[in-house]
Amino acid sequence: MSAVGYPLALAPVAAIGLLAVALRPVAAGTVAGRRLALVRAALVTGAFAVLTVELLGVLRLLTLPAFAVAWLTFLAGALAAVGWRRRRDEARGTAVVAAAHRAVEAVAAPEPALVGATAGPAVGAPPPPPPPPAATRHVAPRHAGWWTRLADAWRTAGRGERLLAGTVGGLLLVELLIALLAEPNNFDSQTYHLPKVEHWVAQGGLDFWPTAIHRQVTIPPGAEYLLLHLRLFTGGDALHHLVQWAAGVGVLLAATRITAQLGGGRRAQLLTAFVLATTPMVALQATSTQTDLVCAAWVACAATVALDGLRRRAGAGAMLALGAATGLTALTKTSGLVAVGPLLLLWGLAQLRLARTGGVRSRRQVRRTVAGSALILLVAVAVVGPFLARVTAEFGHPLGPPRLRESIPMERHDPPSLLVNALRIAHTAFDTPLAPLRRAGAEAIVGAAGIIGVDPQDRATTFGRERFPVPSWYPDEDRVAFPLAGALAAIGAAYALARPGRVAPAQAGPLRAYAVVVVAAVLLHTAMIKWQPWGNRLLLYALALAVPLAGLWLDALFRRRGGGAGGRRPVAAGLAVSVLAGCALAGVLAVSYGFPRRLVGAGSVFTTSDWDTRFLRRPQWAEEFRWAAGAVRAADARRIGLVQQNDNWEYPWWLLLRGADGRPPELVALQSVLPGRPPADPASVDAIVCTGSRPACTALVPAGWRVQFRGYVGYALPPGS
């Protein structure tokens, strides 16, 4: 990490902190105003980070100096916004004090005499009370410091609440430690997440490049845009895991605020945070360079902003925030729009309902809502539009080539196929270590599919060549199930739909409406996305939206645990406590023994070397890559050709063949799946490195070159090298 990178890497954190002060809500009665301020700040900072990449990419200025200037300018703007907000608050405070003085004077003034006498204080009457000092004004508690509020909350919390909060905080700290110690070793990151970042740095722009791995250019790059900032700041990938860790924190903040908006008190919010934080998929992804938590964070931000619109008219700020959240979701993972769409629909209907006040004002408010919806779409297009424009120009379709459009989305939508797909997704999501239960469930689904005439392995409803079922209970970041959190969320959703008044009496209507949105998002997901072994991580955004319903239901259950005929509620509460204990155990085991980053055991971040950590998924490849890269470096090759297949690892070459000064190597693809981007001529390179197929490699090697292969990795050098 460069010396300059240390302070620059803190720029996004400083910007969010400053903007949280500048963007804190003004309206009285705002629920969890400080968390809303952080959500707003995160959306502004995320949109700035994305638009900076897009603008500087067009200028071919994806360089450290350009990004340093951009962030310093942004920080200066955030500081100016804080100063403006403080002056505004001081002016408002002065007005409040003046109004209080006038009110006191009006109360203290004597009533005029009945017969034209001059009003004056009665003899011996006490003097009027002085105006209240500024320290006792109502606004003081609202502006109390974060630490003061946390200390007060901890002091007034019960033993159970402290246990919940301590578990969440402990998990976050352990995850932060792993994120800082471990090297990126996610499989997809080795194939396309991190190579695309290196390509941007090498070429200084965002233009597409010839490649055999279409996902390097076709999959939305929102999370990788954020990684690019850290890559330029630090010169490496040492801080790459912090993007998903920060997204995990953001998901917890947004989810707990959603719980508060739906009527949940402190315990309900802590239960929400606890269930979500202990979910193994969340704990494992928080130390990863995957993108699912980033997507879940933007979806949760959209949800909490949209819920504010159920009770009050939205201002321009809320519309801009919704637009930014929509655009950032689309740019990170388009599947997240499955939830954002229903959320925006709920927001629009609520705004139209609030506009029904009659007369001219009603028509004006309806027009304002329509204009606000257009503004949301405009902001979203500004964020995701440049990427979609590049994809459309390259492939003639905004969703990329047919290969991508047909691999993940469902190709059959008849009711029997949709039902079987939903059952398979549910089976994988609720998997447990109990193998007999897994087998029984899978056999029941396969049998039911046969009865209704559906092939459970149909390629039109199944990703690639995968076959259902697969075990998914093991704590692996790519596929681990969430039976406990999922079951709690399902029960919470059922109660929110059937008996919302018993869960949140003061917010029954919004609670039921929100539950409808969550259920709709899950159903749309199962109707639009094929079953795959890694499907659980694709559902992470829906789980983040659903867990607040679990927190609310659990809180209501504990409130009434002493009642009920025959002691049924105490028994239910006892079972709920047991499930929560299981959640805690699952979270602890995930960070302790989860794969491929863990605290203890084989592959521990404390006992495994940096290079071996990167290859925990495929340990046998670690030395093979080093062997081939060493031979290429010894030949002093400058321009190096790549031969690889769609799911091969490319990222190790960027690490091993980097120049002594840290400059990226000149790697060019000798195959290309992009029709308008022809591959490089093998005769134009100084060396060739290969992964996967030896026949594919030898077919591209010029005549007379020396080819060497070891298992997965090979290289070729010209005569005399």
Side-chain angles (χ1 to χ4, degrees), residues 23-76:
L23 298 176
R24 62 182 183 269
V26 177
T30 300
V31 177
R34 292 176 182 270
R35 275 170 278 175
L36 176 58
L38 282 171
V39 167
R40 292 172 173 176
L43 290 171
V44 172
T45 305
F48 166 79
V50 164
L51 295 177
T52 296
V53 172
E54 291 288 359
L55 176 60
L56 295 181
V58 170
L59 301 175
R60 301 193 70 82
L61 286 174
L62 299 182
T63 62
L64 175 59
F67 274 62
V69 170
W71 277 101
L72 291 175
T73 303
F74 187 62
L75 285 174

Side-chain angles (χ1 to χ4, degrees), residues 600-619:
V600 297
S604 166
V605 295
F606 296 115
T607 60
T608 309
S609 69
D610 296 353
W611 189 250
D612 288 337
T613 298
R614 297 180 185 276
F615 285 86
L616 284 176
R617 289 270 184 204
R618 299 291 187 271

Side-chain angles (χ1 to χ4, degrees), residues 631-654:
V632 171
R633 292 176 69 91
D636 198 25
R638 304 297 183 188
R639 181 176 166 89
I640 303 164
L642 287 174
V643 179
Q644 54 195 1
Q645 288 74 57
N646 185 56
D647 206 30
N648 288 176
W649 285 19
E650 180 182 313
Y651 186 59
W653 299 126
W654 291 96

Side-chain angles (χ1 to χ4, degrees), residues 24 82-98 134 137 139 143:
R24 62 182 183 269
V82 170
W84 173 84
R85 179 59 187 268
R86 285 181 174 173
R87 290 191 297 272
R88 182 182 177 187
D89 288 346
E90 289 173 359
R92 184 180 294 110
T94 302
V96 170
V97 172
R137 295 201 306 269
V139 295
H143 295 289

Side-chain angles (χ1 to χ4, degrees), residues 565-589:
R568 287 177 295 177
R569 287 204 181 100
V571 172
L575 290 175
V577 170
S578 300
V579 172
L580 291 176
C583 289
L585 179 61
V588 171
L589 290 177

Side-chain angles (χ1 to χ4, degrees), residues 278-371:
T278 56
T279 301
M281 179 65 76
V282 175
L284 292 169
Q285 289 239 355
T287 64
S288 172
T289 46
Q290 268 290 10
T291 62
D292 305 283
L293 260 183
V294 178
C295 174
W298 298 136
V299 172
C301 287
T304 190
V305 176
L307 282 178
D308 283 335
L310 268 59
R311 291 300 182 95
R312 64 176 62 182
R313 296 292 304 170
M319 298 172 189
L320 291 172
L322 282 174
T326 303
L328 290 168
T329 300
L331 189 63
T332 303
K333 226 173 184 64
T334 51
S335 57
L337 294 178
V338 171
V340 173
L343 286 167
L344 292 179
L345 178 61
L346 175 64
W347 176 87
L349 293 175
Q351 291 294 293
L352 290 174
R353 179 182 60 82
L354 292 172
R356 291 188 304 174
T357 56
V360 177
R361 184 170 181 270
S362 175
R363 292 193 294 272
R364 184 167 60 249
Q365 293 293 352
V366 170
R367 289 195 297 269
R368 186 171 181 270
T369 299
V370 173

Side-chain angles (χ1 to χ4, degrees), residues 262 489-504 507-523 549 552-553:
L262 297 175
I491 295 172
Y495 268 87
L497 291 171
R499 297 181 177 180
R502 302 189 66 177
V503 176
Q507 298 287 338
L511 176 60
R512 176 175 281 165
Y514 181 78
V516 168
V517 167
V518 171
V519 172
V522 173
L523 293 178
L549 301 176
L552 289 163
W553 169 73

